[in-house]
Amino acid sequence: MVFTKKTDDTQNRVPPNQKVTTGFPVLHYGDVPTYADLSKWDFRIFGLVEKETTLTYEQLTSLPMTQVTNDIHCVTGWSKLDNLWEGVPVEEVVKLAGVKPEVKYVMLHAEQGWTANMPLEDFMRPGNLFAVKHNGEPLTPDHGYPLRFVVPHLYFWKSAKWVRGVEFLEKDKPGFWEKNGYHMYGDPWKEQRFAWD
Ligand SMILES: Nc1nc2c(c(=O)[nH]1)N[C@H]1C(S)=C(S)[C@@H](COP(=O)(O)O)O[C@H]1N2
Ligand SMILES: [Mo]
């Protein structure tokens, strides 16, 4: 009998029933938005905040940027390791508006009314960012240009593409996929794929 020992840590980085892909699949509901220019684009920070704030693309991308590398896990079964993202850390955006003490959840709002919910703590996790680049290249329209959220510790559907705002809430509400049978939280390590998982 031959025993093989994996020499890298890949096996520990891939949640149950996920397969690693080296491609970058495209997954979303609806049409890819197109922009003639970004003059009408804005980003809203609203709900239970001290000061509702609206940023232009220029204001948003003038905030301090960072780079992070992480692994992403799509609920449909693919994982992609070692993604290098560049963008604005979540805390840089949030501190402009200030979160009220009663806030426990957020709702991300994207183009065409698409939404995704998560607990405040998960949204604010260090390493989360509003990304403008992936692996050194500007985001393509398919992958969320001009801005996408990246929250790698939850299934990738929570990482809103074409994100246009964040709303702070006291109570949890289902977002787009969550209304359509997906799990309210979506932990890939617990395989929280569907509402009943
Ligand atoms: N605005 C928006 N963001 C979205 C989606 C969507 O339908 N609309 N789909 C999600 C899902 S299900 C996945 S798996 C990822 C896919 O991101 P990718 O196409 O860049 O791989 O985007 C997420 N973000
Ligand atoms: Mo997905």
Side-chain angles (χ1 to χ4, degrees):
M1 200 180 278
V2 178
F3 293 93
T4 50
K5 192 170 172 288
K6 281 206 181 174
T7 51
D8 66 7
D9 65 344
T10 299
Q11 56 189 339
N12 304 322
R13 291 168 59 186
V14 183
N17 295 306
Q18 295 290 115
K19 278 207 173 73
V20 173
T21 177
T22 50
F24 195 0
V26 171
L27 254 127
H28 54 259
Y29 177 81
D31 300 324
V32 175
T34 53
Y35 305 87
D37 59 64
L38 295 176
S39 61
K40 295 211 177 71
W41 190 98
D42 60 14
F43 187 90
R44 284 183 68 209
I45 312 166
F46 64 108
L48 300 172
V49 290
E50 303 298 344
K51 189 173 73 151
E52 294 211 344
T53 304
T54 303
L55 301 171
T56 64
Y57 194 68
E58 211 192 315
Q59 288 171 326
L60 192 129
T61 52
S62 303
L63 295 172
M65 297 237 183
T66 184
Q67 292 190 344
V68 294
T69 301
N70 57 38
D71 302 337
I72 57 183
H73 312 293
C74 173
V75 69
T76 61
W78 55 267
S79 291
K80 183 171 171 60
L81 307 182
D82 298 316
N83 300 276
L84 171 66
W85 303 97
E86 186 173 329
V88 182
V90 63
E91 59 271 19
E92 291 292 339
V93 175
V94 171
K95 75 180 184 196
L96 301 174
V99 176
K100 291 199 169 163
E102 62 268 33
V103 173
K104 293 203 178 63
Y105 294 91
V106 308
M107 186 70 85
L108 287 160
H109 291 260
E111 297 288 355
Q112 299 156 10
W114 193 91
T115 50
N117 60 304
M118 71 198 69
L120 177 69
E121 208 185 320
D122 295 87
F123 174 70
M124 294 299 301
R125 206 160 189 255
N128 291 351
L129 80 174
F130 289 94
V132 295
K133 284 189 180 180
H134 176 262
N135 288 351
E137 300 291 333
L139 289 178
T140 60
D142 277 355
H143 290 297
Y145 171 88
L147 191 72
R148 90 172 294 161
F149 191 57
V150 180
V151 46
H153 74 294
L154 301 177
Y155 278 123
F156 202 39
W157 89 77
K158 301 280 185 179
S159 293
K161 304 197 275 193
W162 317 297
V163 65
R164 291 289 300 271
V166 56
E167 180 185 7
F168 291 88
L169 303 164
E170 193 175 346
K171 293 208 170 82
D172 202 9
K173 282 199 289 198
F176 177 84
W177 286 117
E178 296 80 8
K179 277 185 212 151
N180 286 282
Y182 281 42
H183 199 276
M184 286 293 269
Y185 185 65
D187 181 346
W189 298 94
K190 295 184 179 156
E191 282 199 82
Q192 294 173 338
R193 298 173 195 271
F194 304 107
W196 53 84
D197 285 331

